[in-house]
Amino acid sequence: MTLLPHALPTYDDVAEAAYRLKGMAHHTPVLRSSTADAQMGAQVFFKCENLQRTGAFKFRGAFNTLAQFSDAQRRGGVLAFSAGNHAQAIALAAQLLDMPAAIVMPEDAPASKMAATRGYGAQVVTYNRYTEDREAISRRLAQERGMTLVPPFDHAQVIAGQGTAAKELFEEVPDLDYLFVCLGGGGLMAGSLLAARTLAPQCKVVGVEPEAGNDAQQSLRAGHIVRIDTPRTIADGAQTQALGELTFPIIAAHAEDIVTVSDAQLMQALRFFAERMKTVVEPTGALAWAGACHGGLDLRGARVGVVVSGGNVDLSRYARFLAD
Ligand SMILES: *Cc1c(COP(=O)(O)O)cnc(C)c1O
């Protein structure tokens, strides 16, 4: 069945997404670290979406959404605005499904990201982020070209796709007591909560945000969506200003809590992944682990899942983080 973009997704939609993604997305590994276990006095299970296709979980939501396009939508193709991991995810999913894709990016976006997006066959349309409104440009382009706009998180099929990472983890590692998930707009967290509610109802799902951008924590406490100014943080995938109309109600209903971490704690987590686990993680991808370490929850004796959400980071920037 086709799920409407504005309907609230359920666990069944996550299960259907998993079926669609079979053979298309990687079933990413779950890594362990005796250092992490000893440090926490717990058993820690890292779900490594930094090893997903295009380097982040976003491929799951993108492919699940594009695979449900009608024939007419396929012919018109897909449009997205993003300077980050959503761009590459949409570009690759479109290439695999043989449809045109256009990605709207600021003209000063990193050259490596533009090149990667073009490398997957998408057209990159640039705009000036100081003088032009990307949403207006995207809407106009979508209309002129008959393309379908796919947003990065506030979309039922995107949320359902993102939930498949946690579904894999719960199926592989039973009896988790906690799951730590980072959040920006909350697509990954909402999808993870849908998976948890059915597959591991006893598991407490904790969201992790940058300290400077704690809009989700404020929203949870206030009981409505709180909007903030674009936060300053090295976690560029979590620089969102607000949760979405679909992600908020799911998170408000089912999240255990939302905790925050500082940029210094994120850098410490990056170094842990590099030094101890030999794996490259981007700052946003390290949020969940930093939250498990510094979020103030007593995890001794617990079985703890940690979603490592992505690994796309400019190497010179990464080197600076490791050296600091
Ligand atoms: C997009 C992204 C996030 C945030 O995901 P939301 O669904 O917006 O909460 C976290 N980490 C990485 C690596 C991302 O690309």
Side-chain angles (χ1 to χ4, degrees):
M1 239 181 60
T2 302
L3 174 65
L4 293 173
H6 304 294
L8 268 192
T10 66
Y11 175 73
D12 288 345
D13 300 308
V14 178
E16 285 181 27
Y19 184 76
R20 277 183 208 105
L21 287 168
K22 243 194 189 95
M24 303 308 297
H26 294 318
H27 185 124
T28 51
V30 176
L31 299 184
R32 307 287 315 270
S33 156
S34 48
T35 307
D37 287 0
Q39 180 186 321
M40 305 299 282
Q43 288 175 276
V44 186
F45 301 86
F46 295 95
K47 176 66 170 167
C48 289
E49 286 295 299
N50 57 323
L51 304 178
Q52 184 52 262
R53 293 183 87 165
T54 71
F57 69 89
K58 289 231 173 46
F59 177 71
R60 295 173 181 272
F63 188 88
N64 183 51
T65 302
L66 270 52
Q68 293 178 76
F69 272 18
S70 68
D71 287 345
Q73 283 179 306
R74 268 178 204 245
R75 278 193 299 277
V78 59
L79 184 106
F81 50 85
S82 165
N85 292 331
H86 182 58
Q88 288 164 66
I90 289 285
L92 176 60
Q95 183 179 58
L96 292 170
L97 292 162
D98 202 20
M99 67 174 85
I103 311 292
V104 178
M105 283 188 174
E107 60 197 4
D108 56 353
S112 59
K113 291 213 163 138
M114 286 197 199
T117 305
R118 288 197 185 103
Y120 293 121
Q123 186 197 2
V124 173
V125 179
T126 58
Y127 71 101
N128 181 321
R129 71 162 107 201
Y130 303 104
T131 59
E132 294 179 287
D133 172 10
R134 68 174 187 178
E135 297 194 31
I137 291 174
S138 302
R139 271 196 304 274
R140 179 169 53 73
L141 272 177
Q143 183 140 41
E144 279 172 13
R145 302 186 182 184
M147 296 180 120
T148 302
L149 185 65
V150 175
F153 54 85
D154 211 25
H155 184 290
Q157 297 160 357
V158 171
I159 294 169
Q162 317 306 32
T164 59
K167 176 178 183 289
E168 287 173 9
L169 178 62
F170 288 128
E171 285 167 350
E172 189 168 333
V173 183
D175 302 326
L176 282 178
D177 300 299
Y178 285 92
L179 179 67
F180 286 84
V181 184
C182 62
L183 77 168
L188 179 65
M189 174 132 191
S192 302
L193 286 162
L194 296 177
R197 203 170 48 174
T198 296
L199 299 174
Q202 81 295 337
C203 180
K204 300 181 174 79
V205 181
V206 179
V208 186
E209 285 186 301
E211 219 165 67
N214 71 335
D215 61 288
Q217 188 183 54
Q218 291 187 44
S219 302
L220 203 65
R221 310 255 146 103
H224 59 84
I225 299 173
V226 173
R227 175 172 290 274
I228 61 170
D229 290 337
T230 301
R232 278 176 183 277
T233 166
I234 60 169
D236 49 350
Q239 282 181 309
T240 41
Q241 292 177 272
L243 294 173
E245 301 290 333
L246 299 180
T247 57
F248 174 70
I250 298 172
I251 291 168
H254 305 294
E256 171 73 9
D257 200 3
I258 293 179
V259 301
T260 63
V261 297
S262 67
D263 278 5
Q265 290 166 337
L266 275 183
M267 282 195 252
Q268 195 182 326
L270 284 191
R271 285 196 282 272
F272 165 81
F273 283 117
E275 187 173 31
R276 297 294 174 164
M277 297 193 67
K278 323 299 173 195
T279 191
V280 176
V281 177
E282 64 181 274
T284 317
L287 274 169
W289 171 234
C293 295
H294 305 288
L297 286 127
D298 181 5
L299 304 176
R300 276 169 303 178
R303 288 164 65 79
V304 181
V306 171
V307 180
V308 180
S309 60
N312 291 323
V313 53
D314 191 66
L315 280 187
S316 56
R317 192 167 167 248
Y318 183 62
R320 278 200 304 280
F321 292 145
L322 295 187
D324 275 353

PDB file of all heavy atoms in Angstrom, residues 7 14-15 18 34 38 42 51 71 102 111 125 131 138 160 175 196 217 247 250 290 294 296 316:
ATOM      1  N   ALA A   7       0.298  11.521   6.163  1.00  0.00           N
ATOM      2  CA  ALA A   7      -0.311  10.665   7.181  1.00  0.00           C
ATOM      3  C   ALA A   7       0.741  10.324   8.223  1.00  0.00           C
ATOM      4  O   ALA A   7       1.932  10.317   7.932  1.00  0.00           O
ATOM      5  CB  ALA A   7      -0.841   9.398   6.528  1.00  0.00           C
ATOM      6  N   VAL A  14       7.096   0.875   8.554  1.00  0.00           N
ATOM      7  CA  VAL A  14       8.526   0.586   8.726  1.00  0.00           C
ATOM      8  C   VAL A  14       8.821  -0.818   8.178  1.00  0.00           C
ATOM      9  O   VAL A  14       9.809  -1.023   7.458  1.00  0.00           O
ATOM     10  CB  VAL A  14       8.933   0.680  10.214  1.00  0.00           C
ATOM     11  CG1 VAL A  14      10.415   0.330  10.386  1.00  0.00           C
ATOM     12  CG2 VAL A  14       8.653   2.072  10.768  1.00  0.00           C
ATOM     13  N   ALA A  15       7.955  -1.765   8.486  1.00  0.00           N
ATOM     14  CA  ALA A  15       8.155  -3.140   8.015  1.00  0.00           C
ATOM     15  C   ALA A  15       8.093  -3.188   6.479  1.00  0.00           C
ATOM     16  O   ALA A  15       8.902  -3.875   5.843  1.00  0.00           O
ATOM     17  CB  ALA A  15       7.106  -4.064   8.633  1.00  0.00           C
ATOM     18  N   ALA A  18      11.280  -1.817   5.076  1.00  0.00           N
ATOM     19  CA  ALA A  18      12.381  -2.779   5.173  1.00  0.00           C
ATOM     20  C   ALA A  18      12.335  -3.751   3.990  1.00  0.00           C
ATOM     21  O   ALA A  18      13.373  -4.118   3.426  1.00  0.00           O
ATOM     22  CB  ALA A  18      12.306  -3.536   6.496  1.00  0.00           C
ATOM     23  N   SER A  34      35.159  -3.217  23.662  1.00  0.00           N
ATOM     24  CA  SER A  34      35.321  -3.539  25.082  1.00  0.00           C
ATOM     25  C   SER A  34      35.675  -2.278  25.870  1.00  0.00           C
ATOM     26  O   SER A  34      35.354  -2.163  27.050  1.00  0.00           O
ATOM     27  CB  SER A  34      36.361  -4.641  25.280  1.00  0.00           C
ATOM     28  OG  SER A  34      37.505  -4.361  24.543  1.00  0.00           O
ATOM     29  N   ALA A  38      33.595  -1.167  29.115  1.00  0.00           N
ATOM     30  CA  ALA A  38      34.265  -0.947  30.404  1.00  0.00           C
ATOM     31  C   ALA A  38      33.993   0.461  30.919  1.00  0.00           C
ATOM     32  O   ALA A  38      33.707   0.671  32.101  1.00  0.00           O
ATOM     33  CB  ALA A  38      35.775  -1.174  30.240  1.00  0.00           C
ATOM     34  N   ALA A  42      28.514  -1.222  30.998  1.00  0.00           N
ATOM     35  CA  ALA A  42      27.303  -1.657  30.288  1.00  0.00           C
ATOM     36  C   ALA A  42      27.712  -2.442  29.047  1.00  0.00           C
ATOM     37  O   ALA A  42      28.904  -2.565  28.760  1.00  0.00           O
ATOM     38  CB  ALA A  42      26.498  -0.425  29.877  1.00  0.00           C
ATOM     39  N   LEU A  51      28.346   3.476   7.741  1.00  0.00           N
ATOM     40  CA  LEU A  51      28.747   2.525   6.703  1.00  0.00           C
ATOM     41  C   LEU A  51      27.597   2.232   5.728  1.00  0.00           C
ATOM     42  O   LEU A  51      27.673   1.316   4.917  1.00  0.00           O
ATOM     43  CB  LEU A  51      29.257   1.229   7.343  1.00  0.00           C
ATOM     44  CG  LEU A  51      30.414   1.435   8.340  1.00  0.00           C
ATOM     45  CD1 LEU A  51      30.832   0.114   8.973  1.00  0.00           C
ATOM     46  CD2 LEU A  51      31.617   2.084   7.649  1.00  0.00           C
ATOM     47  N   ASP A  71       3.847   6.353 -11.643  1.00  0.00           N
ATOM     48  CA  ASP A  71       4.547   6.409 -12.936  1.00  0.00           C
ATOM     49  C   ASP A  71       4.743   7.853 -13.379  1.00  0.00           C
ATOM     50  O   ASP A  71       5.810   8.216 -13.884  1.00  0.00           O
ATOM     51  CB  ASP A  71       3.757   5.636 -14.005  1.00  0.00           C
ATOM     52  CG  ASP A  71       3.860   4.132 -13.774  1.00  0.00           C
ATOM     53  OD1 ASP A  71       4.748   3.709 -13.001  1.00  0.00           O
ATOM     54  OD2 ASP A  71       3.038   3.386 -14.356  1.00  0.00           O
ATOM     55  N   ALA A 102      16.946  16.685  -9.266  1.00  0.00           N
ATOM     56  CA  ALA A 102      17.592  17.993  -9.161  1.00  0.00           C
ATOM     57  C   ALA A 102      17.714  18.330  -7.680  1.00  0.00           C
ATOM     58  O   ALA A 102      16.775  18.137  -6.905  1.00  0.00           O
ATOM     59  CB  ALA A 102      16.769  19.061  -9.881  1.00  0.00           C
ATOM     60  N   ALA A 111      32.551  21.981  -2.297  1.00  0.00           N
ATOM     61  CA  ALA A 111      32.687  21.439  -3.652  1.00  0.00           C
ATOM     62  C   ALA A 111      32.582  19.918  -3.641  1.00  0.00           C
ATOM     63  O   ALA A 111      32.025  19.318  -4.573  1.00  0.00           O
ATOM     64  CB  ALA A 111      34.026  21.877  -4.235  1.00  0.00           C
ATOM     65  N   VAL A 125      21.342  22.568  -8.685  1.00  0.00           N
ATOM     66  CA  VAL A 125      20.885  23.926  -8.969  1.00  0.00           C
ATOM     67  C   VAL A 125      21.330  24.790  -7.790  1.00  0.00           C
ATOM     68  O   VAL A 125      20.983  24.490  -6.643  1.00  0.00           O
ATOM     69  CB  VAL A 125      19.345  23.978  -9.091  1.00  0.00           C
ATOM     70  CG1 VAL A 125      18.880  25.405  -9.368  1.00  0.00           C
ATOM     71  CG2 VAL A 125      18.864  23.019 -10.173  1.00  0.00           C
ATOM     72  N   THR A 131      20.641  35.955  -0.344  1.00  0.00           N
ATOM     73  CA  THR A 131      19.679  36.832  -1.031  1.00  0.00           C
ATOM     74  C   THR A 131      18.469  36.080  -1.572  1.00  0.00           C
ATOM     75  O   THR A 131      17.477  36.705  -1.956  1.00  0.00           O
ATOM     76  CB  THR A 131      20.358  37.544  -2.226  1.00  0.00           C
ATOM     77  OG1 THR A 131      20.845  36.538  -3.126  1.00  0.00           O
ATOM     78  CG2 THR A 131      21.516  38.410  -1.769  1.00  0.00           C
ATOM     79  N   SER A 138      12.743  26.154  -4.878  1.00  0.00           N
ATOM     80  CA  SER A 138      12.417  24.737  -5.037  1.00  0.00           C
ATOM     81  C   SER A 138      10.978  24.558  -5.511  1.00  0.00           C
ATOM     82  O   SER A 138      10.707  23.740  -6.402  1.00  0.00           O
ATOM     83  CB  SER A 138      12.617  23.998  -3.714  1.00  0.00           C
ATOM     84  OG  SER A 138      13.946  24.162  -3.277  1.00  0.00           O
ATOM     85  N   ALA A 160       9.318   6.381   7.838  1.00  0.00           N
ATOM     86  CA  ALA A 160       9.217   4.908   7.840  1.00  0.00           C
ATOM     87  C   ALA A 160      10.533   4.289   7.380  1.00  0.00           C
ATOM     88  O   ALA A 160      11.009   3.309   7.968  1.00  0.00           O
ATOM     89  CB  ALA A 160       8.057   4.465   6.948  1.00  0.00           C
ATOM     90  N   ASP A 175      16.436  -7.534  23.617  1.00  0.00           N
ATOM     91  CA  ASP A 175      16.473  -7.085  25.023  1.00  0.00           C
ATOM     92  C   ASP A 175      17.328  -5.847  25.273  1.00  0.00           C
ATOM     93  O   ASP A 175      18.004  -5.750  26.296  1.00  0.00           O
ATOM     94  CB  ASP A 175      16.961  -8.223  25.947  1.00  0.00           C
ATOM     95  CG  ASP A 175      16.085  -9.453  25.834  1.00  0.00           C
ATOM     96  OD1 ASP A 175      14.867  -9.288  25.629  1.00  0.00           O
ATOM     97  OD2 ASP A 175      16.625 -10.567  25.917  1.00  0.00           O
ATOM     98  N   ALA A 196      10.742   0.627  17.841  1.00  0.00           N
ATOM     99  CA  ALA A 196      10.881   0.230  19.243  1.00  0.00           C
ATOM    100  C   ALA A 196       9.537  -0.171  19.847  1.00  0.00           C
ATOM    101  O   ALA A 196       9.436  -1.173  20.556  1.00  0.00           O
ATOM    102  CB  ALA A 196      11.486   1.369  20.059  1.00  0.00           C
ATOM    103  N   GLN A 217      14.248  19.218  22.811  1.00  0.00           N
ATOM    104  CA  GLN A 217      14.117  19.103  24.262  1.00  0.00           C
ATOM    105  C   GLN A 217      13.110  20.139  24.776  1.00  0.00           C
ATOM    106  O   GLN A 217      12.207  19.823  25.562  1.00  0.00           O
ATOM    107  CB  GLN A 217      15.490  19.335  24.908  1.00  0.00           C
ATOM    108  CG  GLN A 217      15.536  19.047  26.387  1.00  0.00           C
ATOM    109  CD  GLN A 217      16.907  19.373  26.971  1.00  0.00           C
ATOM    110  OE1 GLN A 217      17.406  20.478  26.823  1.00  0.00           O
ATOM    111  NE2 GLN A 217      17.518  18.382  27.611  1.00  0.00           N
ATOM    112  N   THR A 247       6.925  14.459  12.851  1.00  0.00           N
ATOM    113  CA  THR A 247       7.906  13.869  13.778  1.00  0.00           C
ATOM    114  C   THR A 247       7.584  14.243  15.232  1.00  0.00           C
ATOM    115  O   THR A 247       7.748  13.417  16.132  1.00  0.00           O
ATOM    116  CB  THR A 247       9.347  14.303  13.432  1.00  0.00           C
ATOM    117  OG1 THR A 247       9.444  15.739  13.450  1.00  0.00           O
ATOM    118  CG2 THR A 247       9.756  13.803  12.064  1.00  0.00           C
ATOM    119  N   ILE A 250       4.995  11.926  17.229  1.00  0.00           N
ATOM    120  CA  ILE A 250       5.531  10.583  17.490  1.00  0.00           C
ATOM    121  C   ILE A 250       6.564  10.654  18.615  1.00  0.00           C
ATOM    122  O   ILE A 250       6.562   9.834  19.547  1.00  0.00           O
ATOM    123  CB  ILE A 250       6.150   9.983  16.196  1.00  0.00           C
ATOM    124  CG1 ILE A 250       5.082   9.837  15.113  1.00  0.00           C
ATOM    125  CG2 ILE A 250       6.822   8.641  16.487  1.00  0.00           C
ATOM    126  CD1 ILE A 250       5.622   9.441  13.742  1.00  0.00           C
ATOM    127  N   ALA A 290      27.852  10.354  22.382  1.00  0.00           N
ATOM    128  CA  ALA A 290      28.164  11.408  23.355  1.00  0.00           C
ATOM    129  C   ALA A 290      27.023  11.544  24.373  1.00  0.00           C
ATOM    130  O   ALA A 290      27.267  11.752  25.565  1.00  0.00           O
ATOM    131  CB  ALA A 290      28.415  12.734  22.633  1.00  0.00           C
ATOM    132  N   HIS A 294      27.404  11.291  28.325  1.00  0.00           N
ATOM    133  CA  HIS A 294      27.328  12.540  29.099  1.00  0.00           C
ATOM    134  C   HIS A 294      25.900  13.001  29.386  1.00  0.00           C
ATOM    135  O   HIS A 294      25.698  14.099  29.883  1.00  0.00           O
ATOM    136  CB  HIS A 294      28.065  13.658  28.348  1.00  0.00           C
ATOM    137  CG  HIS A 294      29.478  13.325  28.005  1.00  0.00           C
ATOM    138  ND1 HIS A 294      30.488  13.255  28.946  1.00  0.00           N
ATOM    139  CD2 HIS A 294      30.066  13.005  26.824  1.00  0.00           C
ATOM    140  CE1 HIS A 294      31.623  12.917  28.360  1.00  0.00           C
ATOM    141  NE2 HIS A 294      31.394  12.758  27.071  1.00  0.00           N
ATOM    142  N   GLY A 296      23.753  11.963  31.497  1.00  0.00           N
ATOM    143  CA  GLY A 296      23.318  11.917  32.885  1.00  0.00           C
ATOM    144  C   GLY A 296      22.436  10.724  33.234  1.00  0.00           C
ATOM    145  O   GLY A 296      21.873  10.675  34.337  1.00  0.00           O
ATOM    146  N   SER A 316      39.786  17.544   5.877  1.00  0.00           N
ATOM    147  CA  SER A 316      40.635  18.536   6.554  1.00  0.00           C
ATOM    148  C   SER A 316      39.953  19.011   7.842  1.00  0.00           C
ATOM    149  O   SER A 316      40.599  19.238   8.863  1.00  0.00           O
ATOM    150  CB  SER A 316      40.953  19.711   5.630  1.00  0.00           C
ATOM    151  OG  SER A 316      39.768  20.287   5.149  1.00  0.00           O
TER     152      SER A 316
END
